[in-house]
Amino acid sequence: RLAVESSDFERFIHALIEELQGRAPPDSAIDPWLRVGNNLEKAGLELSLGFHESYADPLFGMKRAIHGVFGIVNVEETRKFRRVQRVLQNFDAVLGKKYGYEPITSHTNVVAINQLGCGGLYGYNLIPSAYILPNSEAYRRRNGAKQTYCLESLQARFDMIAKPIGMEILHPDYRVSLKLRLFQKAVASHEGGHGVNFLFDTEYFGDLASPIEEGRADVVGLYAHLDEGHRSATKTKDAQLMVVNRMIDSVRRMRTGAHKPHAIGSVVQCNWLMDNKAMRFEKGKMVFEPGLFLGAYASLCDELYRISSSHDRWELETFLDNWKTPPDELVEISGKFGHLPVD
């Protein structure tokens, strides 16, 4: 019934069948798929099929794993994620004016789904929380993209990993950050940060592009919310607690492997915050100076833009050599949670 009532979904399925049977050009189903769920009045089913994530190809970052995800669009939650996306789209224009680049004007269709099933890599290995497709940055700039959030996976990651870690490593003053709403906003700020139009292109930075891109997405997403917080005390508090959430997540990311892209991006932030006196470790706990977050993230964003616009791999190598080594305290804390799922 949901499929029949969603005309966008029906058109996508017909286009996909035509493409798979060779009666339509390759990738001809992408445009219909991008429209599925865009109109929430007609939203029903969501299906993602294709190639995603290059982490299995650390040498070149080109080969991608096939996956499939199927679910029902959750209208209420989708609206929440779209509000975060609008903050990032507006901030892209702010950064474009500051740095002198053209912001992205193409549309990103954001949907949050109650997941019914998954297959391929996601069926036996990685269960996704969020992903953006298509992979091609050039295509996204021309035609737009779709950002999908999987609500059950986000809930499980929060309940089974983030919250237990946070209860252990946070000073009691910061445990107020351990809310699913703030966790989801922090994830959405990271994903929205990927859509801001300054990037570390593999053409110039090769295999170093992926880890710094994951860090850049975090930095831009959190900077956007910290900057927006100037206009509201409530938004300021939320933005600061989102930073705390991402630092909790640095422990999870370290447990997946300190050499992996998300972990490197987190460690860079952790070191930068510590260097700017915005974060420290005391007796195995993370302690923060939230009033220093905005300045720290602004200066880190400035530095990342300087390097990305240089197109100089040596500049990025030098930066990573200086900032990607995990502090001893983070390594020690990350080793305490062997009883928890890794991801």
Side-chain angles (χ1 to χ4, degrees), residues 11 30 34 52 54 70 88 91 121-122 126 137 145 161 171 178 181 197-198 216 226 235 238 240 243 253 265 272:
R11 277 191 290 270
I30 292 179
L34 288 177
H52 190 42
S54 59
F70 181 57
L88 270 297
F91 196 60
L121 175 69
Y122 288 165
L126 173 70
E137 294 291 345
I161 305 175
H171 186 280
L178 298 175
R181 175 183 65 85
N197 199 20
F198 80 84
R216 184 201 63 81
L226 290 164
K235 288 181 179 179
D238 268 14
Q240 292 170 346
V243 174
R253 290 169 167 181
W272 195 274

Side-chain angles (χ1 to χ4, degrees), residues 141-338:
R141 287 191 179 96
R142 288 194 315 270
N143 305 306
K146 182 184 283 187
Q147 176 72 64
T148 304
Y149 295 94
C150 301
L151 296 170
E152 285 75 17
S153 178
L154 285 167
Q155 176 89 54
R157 181 175 281 179
F158 175 75
D159 289 341
M160 300 173 67
I161 305 175
K163 190 173 182 178
I165 290 174
M167 290 297 293
E168 176 68 25
I169 70 173
L170 287 182
H171 186 280
D173 290 351
Y174 303 107
R175 289 177 185 164
V176 67
S177 68
L178 298 175
K179 297 177 180 176
L180 179 62
R181 175 183 65 85
L182 292 169
F183 176 80
Q184 289 178 333
K185 281 186 72 174
V187 171
S189 74
H190 169 89
E191 298 299 333
H194 278 302
V196 170
N197 199 20
F198 80 84
L199 304 167
F200 286 85
D201 198 316
T202 55
E203 179 182 352
Y204 305 108
F205 300 105
D207 60 314
L208 299 180
S210 181
I212 201 63
E213 262 300 296
E214 296 302 337
R216 184 201 63 81
D218 261 355
V219 169
V220 171
L222 294 170
Y223 182 17
H225 283 85
L226 290 164
D227 183 71
E228 185 194 36
H230 275 310
R231 295 180 286 280
S232 162
T234 302
K235 288 181 179 179
T236 297
K237 186 69 172 177
D238 268 14
Q240 292 170 346
L241 294 177
M242 286 163 63
V243 174
V244 175
N245 261 283
R246 294 320 267 172
M247 288 302 99
I248 296 169
D249 205 47
S250 68
V251 176
R252 177 190 66 83
R253 290 169 167 181
M254 280 285 293
R255 295 180 67 232
T256 67
H259 62 288
K260 292 191 175 180
H262 284 90
I264 292 172
S266 286
V267 169
V268 167
Q269 289 174 80
C270 181
N271 284 327
W272 195 274
L273 287 173
M274 291 175 69
D275 192 65
N276 282 267
K277 313 300 182 188
M279 173 184 168
R280 63 187 183 276
F281 292 91
E282 289 183 2
K283 298 179 181 179
K285 306 287 187 185
M286 287 182 174
V287 181
F288 302 94
E289 298 293 338
L292 300 177
F293 285 167
L294 177 57
Y297 274 93
S299 62
L300 181 51
C301 191
D302 289 347
E303 180 66 1
L304 292 177
Y305 181 76
R306 183 190 68 79
I307 297 170
S308 74
S309 59
S310 75
H311 297 164
D312 188 334
R313 181 187 168 93
W314 179 84
E315 286 271 7
L316 180 54
E317 284 181 343
T318 302
F319 175 83
L320 289 173
D321 285 345
N322 289 333
W323 296 100
K324 75 175 183 179
T325 302
D328 292 340
E329 299 94 334
L330 183 59
V331 174
E332 183 179 352
I333 285 175
S334 301
K336 293 181 177 180
F337 298 100

Side-chain angles (χ1 to χ4, degrees), residues 37 39-44 72-82 112-114 151:
N39 182 350
L40 290 180
E41 298 295 324
K42 300 180 179 179
I72 300 173
V73 176
N74 185 311
V75 173
E76 182 180 351
E77 293 299 316
T78 293
R79 289 195 174 104
K80 295 176 184 177
F81 283 103
R82 287 183 180 182
I113 66 169
N114 295 113
L151 296 170

Side-chain angles (χ1 to χ4, degrees), residues 52-53 56 65-68 119-127:
H52 190 42
E53 301 297 22
I66 192 167
H67 82 247
L121 175 69
Y122 288 165
Y124 64 84
N125 187 342
L126 173 70
I127 304 298

